[in-house]
């Protein structure tokens, strides 16, 4: 059974200052949130205290996207191994302290300076290195396939791309797929078939509709059928609401998709 819904603070509450988003999510009934990046070291203690004050779990946090405006991850960049590993350690330290369920390893796109084979080797080496530094009770590590319209030439755009990486590593329990239905829908012929391809390797799920990346029901993604199949698959994690609200969002759509704020309060990692 799915654990419940998680509010993505950087999309649902983008209009608010970052530190006020936690209280807003709690006021809306959420008991779990997720964020794109770890806070600066100077703000880590304040964020952790805010999570505790509002009784909020943290579902996932990303490694940093990179130094340039169009970066969306450095995991697969052979020229940035030292930077990526330093950032991973910083992100994991925060994730441990915040008791996050997972850390999303932003992979990034194709690089003109490296063949694809070299980038894939870089991903394998970096993930193996990260897994060697992961303790048994640490957050899961995630890799997310992205669509090629929103992101420039993503290294991984299909669920099977990530499955292949996990298989090449020997399918260790500490690395899983972040299955974002918004991204997968744009790259796969059939969303539920892609869910089947992921098998039991899904560590976290996010949803948004397409086009527009709005709330469920605002576009063409068959999210009701997807969530039904996700539940039948035995997935027991959070479903992250990583969408851009089209107007005043009172989350009244949740019951139509078998979700509710009661489910959001069902438990913490």
């Amino acid at each position: 059974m799915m654990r419940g819904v998680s509010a993505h603070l950087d999309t649902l509450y983008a209009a608010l200052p970052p530190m006020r988003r936690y209280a807003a999510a709690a006021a809306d009934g959420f008991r779990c949130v997720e964020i794109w990046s770890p806070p600066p070291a100077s703000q880590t203690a304040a964020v952790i205290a805010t999570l505790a004050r509002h009784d909020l779990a943290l579902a996932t946090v990303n490694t940093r996207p990179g130094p340039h405006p169009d970066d969306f991850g450095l995991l697969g960049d052979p020229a940035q191994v030292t930077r990526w590993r330093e950032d991973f350690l910083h992100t994991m330290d925060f994730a441990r302290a915040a008791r996050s369920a997972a850390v999303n390893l932003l992979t990034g796109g194709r690089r003109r300076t490296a063949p694809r084979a070299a980038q894939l080797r870089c991903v394998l080496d970096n993930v193996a290195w990260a897994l060697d530094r992961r303790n048994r009770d640490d957050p899961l590590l995630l890799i997310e396939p992205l669509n090629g319209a929103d992101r420039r030439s993503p290294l991984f755009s299909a669920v099977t791309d990530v499955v292949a990486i996990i298989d090449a590593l020997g399918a260790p329990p500490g690395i899983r797929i972040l299955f974002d239905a918004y991204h997968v829908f744009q790259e796969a012929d059939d969303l539920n078939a892609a869910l089947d391809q992921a098998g039991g390797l899904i560590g976290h799920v996010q949803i948004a509709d397409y086009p527009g990346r709005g709330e469920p029901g605002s576009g063409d993604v068959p999210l009701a059928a997807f969530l039904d199949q996700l539940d039948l698959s035995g997935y027991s994690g959070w479903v992250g609401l990583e969408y851009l609200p089209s107007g005043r969002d009172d989350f009244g759509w949740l019951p139509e998709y078998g979700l509710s704020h009661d489910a959001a309060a069902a438990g913490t990692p």
Side-chain angles (χ1 to χ4, degrees):
M1 178 180 293
M2 291 179 283
R3 180 170 290 180
V5 288
S6 172
H8 203 299
L9 298 184
D10 297 296
T11 60
L12 297 184
Y13 301 99
L16 296 175
M19 289 304 295
R20 290 178 54 192
R21 296 171 187 174
Y22 299 89
D28 281 336
F30 290 102
R31 291 296 174 263
C32 185
V33 297
E34 49 197 83
I35 54 178
W36 274 332
S37 297
S42 61
Q43 297 178 17
T44 295
V47 168
I48 292 170
T50 299
L51 286 166
R53 182 164 64 253
H54 296 291
D55 194 23
L56 291 169
L58 184 65
T60 186
V61 56
N62 297 344
T63 51
R64 296 188 189 279
H68 304 298
D70 62 345
D71 282 339
F72 55 99
L74 301 176
L75 177 67
D77 188 344
Q80 297 285 350
V81 170
T82 299
R83 178 191 287 269
W84 184 85
R85 293 185 179 186
E86 290 174 351
D87 177 64
F88 170 79
L89 294 175
H90 168 74
T91 305
M92 181 58 87
D93 283 347
F94 166 73
R96 285 177 180 136
R99 300 180 64 192
S100 179
V103 169
N104 182 27
L105 309 179
L106 292 182
T107 305
R110 289 284 291 113
R111 298 292 186 182
R112 295 177 182 174
T113 54
R116 180 177 174 83
Q119 288 197 255
L120 295 179
R121 173 47 55 189
C122 180
V123 168
L124 290 169
D125 289 347
N126 276 336
V127 175
W129 177 89
L131 286 167
D132 282 345
R133 285 151 183 80
R134 179 184 176 272
N135 300 319
R136 173 177 293 193
D137 296 330
D138 274 350
L140 276 176
L141 307 183
L142 304 173
I143 299 178
E144 177 184 20
L146 301 173
N147 79 80
D150 289 5
R151 297 299 189 186
R152 169 183 44 82
S153 302
L155 188 60
F156 300 139
S157 59
V159 168
T160 51
D161 293 335
V162 184
V163 171
I165 290 293
I166 294 174
D167 286 347
L169 290 163
I175 181 75
R176 289 292 182 262
I177 299 167
L178 196 168
F179 193 109
D180 187 324
Y182 167 80
H183 286 290
V184 175
F185 175 77
Q186 295 179 66
E187 296 288 340
D189 292 332
D190 185 304
L191 186 62
N192 280 5
L195 182 61
D196 288 340
Q197 290 171 339
L201 295 177
I202 296 178
H204 186 55
V205 170
Q206 293 173 334
I207 60 172
D209 220 324
Y210 174 86
R213 202 169 188 170
E215 64 271 11
S218 63
D220 301 325
V221 183
L223 286 170
F226 167 74
L227 289 167
D228 285 345
Q229 182 162 329
L230 181 67
D231 201 29
L232 290 173
S233 76
Y235 175 71
S236 58
W238 299 100
V239 174
L241 309 184
E242 193 188 27
Y243 64 81
L244 304 171
S246 60
R248 183 180 180 278
D249 195 342
D250 60 4
F251 307 104
W253 58 267
L254 286 169
E256 299 174 33
Y257 291 84
L259 302 171
S260 72
H261 284 101
D262 290 337
T268 57

